[in-house]
Amino acid sequence: MHGWSRLTLAPLLKRRVFSSTQQDETRTLVSEALKEHRLTWKGGRVDAELNRARFGSLTVCTLRYGAEVHIEPDRLQDFMLVQVPLRGRACIECGGDRVDADPDCAAVIAPNRPLRLHWEAGCEQLLLKIPRGKIEAIGQRAFGETAAGPLDFSPALRLDTPVGAAWCSMMASLIHLLPTLDDGAPRPPAAWLEHLEDTLVLHLLYNQPNSWRSRAGLAPTVPRRLAQAESYMREHLSAPLTLIDIARHAGASASALTRLFQEHRDTTPMNALRALRLDTARQKLKAGAGASVTEVALGVGFGHLGRFSEYYRERFGELPRETRRVAG
């Protein structure tokens, strides 16, 4: 398991709720343990297992189905969920966002988001369930009245970054401490355990982009190389830029720049460039300055008009010529 050894997970893996090779039994038992859901089996051998432990108000689990599955739960409402693939991959559609989760990228699922999940065969995940009341209590201490409004998260949580690795380390620490919660075991001070629990949640509230943090005015600091890359893109929208070009002018390797965009912008450098080009094209078309759609497309670096129109409609829900026609 990438980043999570059997030794690290051992205290949790000893707390088995069930294992099963039966479809109906698996769906029923997972629903009872986590949340009612619709489960569609897509193929492969059922080899399901759920392990679960509680740490204060938090619930931590490992879950696998063995087979490929499609999962449709109702909105979470009463809790927030963090899904961390231990092995394999999953596609998580969270409202209008999609996370292609793997051992390097987890998903943070806020309450009240529509949710659909597709786990590939062999996918196994670590799940952290945080009660809504816990999040709200910590949020009010951290952000004051700002936390009275709805909470929404940017769902993709990169784990191959210093911030993501720190969160994994805290999760591993909690799992290591599970034996101290057993009856008869020497127990750490309750206030210290609660502090660890709160710190794990605070880490997400302060470091993972979310609506409370934004309303509190705590905008994340943009790394210098990321800012340089974005500035270079804006200044050279019409040029045939490559990832290597952008990385070189930002003073970073292509892989390092990609990690920066994934961590801070939840996208890739080239997708960010395309979004900048499309946004600029829309501004020009809405300005109604007389330029044709073709001239606008070429002016922001699109040499293929059909592809420009396709990307434009995908981003804005209408064709470029429709935007221009409304602008007059």
Side-chain angles (χ1 to χ4, degrees), residues 39-51:
L39 184 63
T40 305
W41 299 89
K42 294 292 188 177
R45 185 173 68 91
V46 179
D47 178 24
E49 181 179 295
L50 174 67
N51 303 286

Side-chain angles (χ1 to χ4, degrees), residues 12 23 67 112 115 174 190-191 207 217 224 239 252 263 297 324:
L12 180 55
Q23 294 183 1
N112 290 326
L115 185 60
L174 293 189
N207 293 291
R224 177 175 56 84
E263 179 181 357
R324 189 175 184 277

Side-chain angles (χ1 to χ4, degrees), residues 275 278-282 311-318 323:
L278 290 169
D279 291 345
T280 302
R282 186 168 180 81
Y311 288 145
Y312 190 96
R313 180 166 57 183
E314 182 180 298
R315 185 165 178 83
F316 302 117
E318 63 183 17
T323 303

Side-chain angles (χ1 to χ4, degrees), residues 218-255:
L218 299 178
T221 301
V222 178
R224 177 175 56 84
R225 287 187 173 87
L226 176 60
Q228 288 175 331
E230 291 179 328
S231 177
Y232 183 74
M233 288 177 183
R234 284 191 290 269
E235 292 170 3
H236 298 84
L237 286 181
S238 62
L241 299 180
T242 67
L243 176 57
I244 299 298
D245 294 331
I246 299 167
R248 184 175 65 251
H249 283 84
S253 68
S255 59

Side-chain angles (χ1 to χ4, degrees), residues 47-92:
D47 178 24
E49 181 179 295
L50 174 67
N51 303 286
R52 180 184 63 191
R54 290 188 174 87
F55 192 99
S57 63
L58 308 180
T59 301
V60 59
C61 308
T62 63
L63 174 63
R64 74 167 185 261
Y65 291 99
E68 180 185 2
V69 295
H70 185 76
I71 308 161
E72 293 187 65
D74 294 328
R75 299 186 187 212
L76 302 183
Q77 294 186 337
D78 296 330
F79 63 93
M80 184 173 86
L81 189 66
V82 184
Q83 292 199 1
V84 184
L86 300 170
R87 56 190 176 95
R89 296 181 297 178
C91 173
I92 300 168

Side-chain angles (χ1 to χ4, degrees), residues 182-195:
D182 293 338
D183 292 338
R187 194 178 185 90
W192 181 71
L193 291 174
E194 185 177 3
H195 175 74

